[in-house]
Structures are given as structure tokens and as C-alpha cells.
Amino acid sequence: MPCYEIVRISESKFIDVSKIHKSCFDNSWSLNYLSLLMKNKINDGFIAKLKASTNIKKHNKSKYNELDKCIGFILFSMVHEHSELISLGVLPNWRCNGIGSDLIQHVISFIQRAGANRLVLEVAENNLSARKLYLDLDFKEISRRIGYYKQSKGNVDALILEKNI
């Protein structure tokens, strides 16, 4: 049983999401940008937050985390039957625990109930861990944007992936 739960994002969690975004991406979003993005009625999101009194073993020490600590997020948009995953992030020390997969599955269930029939996203070609996650969830490459992402190592292609639901 996971030590976290997935809940709808609230404005009070925008600071946490902004911090997680900064820990995940070179070109991170400001809190102001995130707030403006989420004010658009077509955008929505969920967070993964620790359940009360989650006991975490780190460096052979037990550590209790505060209630409601945000450890991951997913943001998406939906217009009628079309949906797009805008951003997904999990704190580095919480990766490889199924949180990203759970967040995506949660969104898929949500948008499917709302009438969406596909979910589209873009991912940097060099983001191998994210690409593996999406491949494991049966996303398929449908297009590519050449040199779309400006990174410190140079420009990187964006892969456009789709999952029919």
C-alpha cells in the first residue's frame, strides 16, 4: 500500500509544485507562470502527497514527514475529447517508486470518465527515464519537433507521444 495519496491540486500547493518542477527541469516554471497556467479553465492537475505520519528510512534513520508533503505532480489540459499532459514531476529522492505511473493512470481514469479518448504529451528525446515510463504505459511516438528544447548541452528534439484510451 503506497505511503502517498493522489488528490486534486489546490492553489495552496502551487509553491510545492513549482519547487518540484525546478528540481526536475532545466527550464523550470516560475510560481507566477504556474499560477497563470492553472487559472485557465481547461487546465487541471493532481499531486501525490504523503499520508500522515509516513515513516521514511533514509540513511538508516527513521524520519517522519509532515502531513500533506507534496512529492509529485501532474498537470494536464482537456478540451472535449482531447487531452494533453502538460507536465509531470516527482521529487528526485522519490523516483522509481511508481509515483509517476500512478499519477498518469489517475489522469487517464479522470479524463476517460470525462469523455476523452486520447492523451498526448511531449518529452525530450534525451529524457530516457521519462521515455521508458511512457513506453511502459503504451504511449506511441506520433511526431517529433526538431531542436525544440533548449538545453545546456544544446538543442534536443521533442518527441510527441500519444495514448488512445
Side-chain angles (χ1 to χ4, degrees):
M1 182 167 205
C3 61
Y4 59 90
E5 58 188 335
I6 297 174
V7 298
R8 200 86 171 258
I9 193 171
S10 64
E11 193 170 344
S12 67
K13 293 298 181 187
F14 289 177
I15 292 173
D16 294 338
V17 169
S18 181
K19 287 178 182 176
I20 294 171
H21 197 276
K22 185 175 184 171
S23 74
C24 295
F25 302 102
D26 288 340
N27 298 320
S28 61
W29 297 340
S30 68
L31 178 58
N32 186 49
Y33 178 81
L34 176 63
S35 297
L36 289 172
L37 180 75
M38 296 310 293
K39 285 183 182 174
N40 188 326
K41 292 180 183 181
I42 67 168
N43 298 332
D44 206 345
F46 295 98
I47 60 167
K49 67 175 190 161
L50 292 178
K51 292 179 181 176
S53 301
T54 297
N55 186 356
I56 307 303
K57 293 212 176 200
K58 190 172 184 177
H59 306 293
N60 295 327
K61 296 179 188 174
S62 290
K63 180 178 177 184
Y64 286 89
N65 288 286
E66 65 275 9
L67 177 65
D68 289 340
K69 179 178 173 68
C70 184
I71 57 174
F73 72 90
I74 189 165
L75 306 176
F76 63 98
S77 65
M78 187 171 157
V79 178
H80 305 293
E81 71 277 4
H82 302 287
S83 192
E84 180 179 357
L85 193 156
I86 300 170
S87 191
L88 169 70
V90 175
L91 285 173
N93 57 331
W94 284 93
R95 292 180 188 155
C96 300
N97 287 297
I99 298 166
S101 179
D102 286 350
L103 285 163
I104 294 169
Q105 294 289 7
H106 196 82
V107 165
I108 289 170
S109 295
F110 179 86
I111 64 174
Q112 191 172 36
R113 286 190 308 272
N117 59 22
R118 72 184 194 136
L119 180 60
V120 177
L121 61 88
E122 69 180 37
V123 61
E125 184 176 35
N126 63 353
N127 188 342
L128 300 180
S129 59
R131 288 180 57 197
K132 180 182 180 334
L133 170 66
Y134 301 135
L135 180 66
D136 289 347
L137 292 169
D138 296 322
F139 281 84
K140 307 290 184 228
E141 183 177 340
I142 59 169
S143 187
R144 175 183 294 255
R145 292 184 178 131
I146 306 298
Y148 182 76
Y149 290 109
K150 312 292 185 233
Q151 296 181 351
S152 57
K153 302 171 189 167
N155 293 355
V156 176
D157 291 356
L159 305 179
I160 311 302
L161 308 180
E162 175 185 64
K163 179 178 176 69
N164 292 316
I165 53 175

